[in-house]
Amino acid sequence: MIRKPKSKLNLLRKRIHIIIYGSDTVAGRLFDLILLGLILLSVFLVMLETVKGFDAKYHHELIILEWIITGFFTLEYLLRIATTNRPRNYIFSIFGIIDLLAILPMYLSFFLVGPKVFSIIRALRLLRLFKILNHPKFTGQSIHLLKALNASRGKITVFLYFVLISTILIGSIMYVVEGEENGFTSIPMSIYWTIVTLTTVGYGDISPGTPLGQFIASMVMILGYGIIAVPTGIVTAEFTRTNANKTELEKNSCENCGVANHNPNSKFCYHCGHPLTLK
């Protein structure tokens, strides 16, 4: 059976697909770097537009740069649709929706009038930063972090429950100790003060005036540092354990074919069947 040669259009479509969706080629990595640079430049331009003096002086130049970046993003969006085998899946995916939202603001400027509304719509371009997370270098670390958060879910839930009960209890005590004359007009207001103090924010809009209230406030401030440290330690411990397990699997490689990620209890390689000598 004679195979029909692929058309030049199909070959070009395949090459563009490799460049846009892949990152294991020089052209693919270069495209990712250019895209990343334009995303950061776009975010920077959005920030500069909020500086009234700068925007008044360079408004024309900012608009030109925004149209150039929007044109690149539009071309990228259309090429992603044209070169994928399942365009519908891309269009309705999270990143597909983000890509669309990144290019819509400039085109909507033809129909919407009003600087405040326009600025809010253009700020949606900040969502393009989530594209960075789709890079292979970040994907593996994201998976480990998600696994660590999932493993810590039970402990963090119990911890948050303890914090919730503590804030209600401390807020109730402060309402009784301080009273309305010091700004603690109700238990919800006292709970608000407790949360602000525990998180070490300290707005200063409410403060205790009695010696006993100040002593309790001092204890709450000290407790706040512990509350910040506990969930961080929980997630860090799980993240370390996940990385340790991954490293252990990577060590278990076959001497014959070099394939790694064998189970520590495996006796034969799942790829070539060669006996394993696992450490």
Side-chain angles (χ1 to χ4, degrees), residues 176-195:
V176 174
V177 172
E178 292 296 321
E180 296 184 4
E181 60 273 12
N182 290 319
F184 294 81
T185 55
S186 64
I187 290 181
M189 183 62 68
S190 301
I191 292 174
Y192 157 78
W193 172 88
T194 305
I195 294 173

Side-chain angles (χ1 to χ4, degrees), residues 44-62 65:
F44 186 63
L45 291 177
V46 172
M47 294 179 182
L48 288 178
E49 283 188 51
T50 62
V51 183
K52 294 182 179 180
F54 189 89
D55 182 59
K57 187 176 181 179
Y58 299 102
H59 181 75
H60 183 69
E61 289 79 2
L62 290 174
L65 286 175

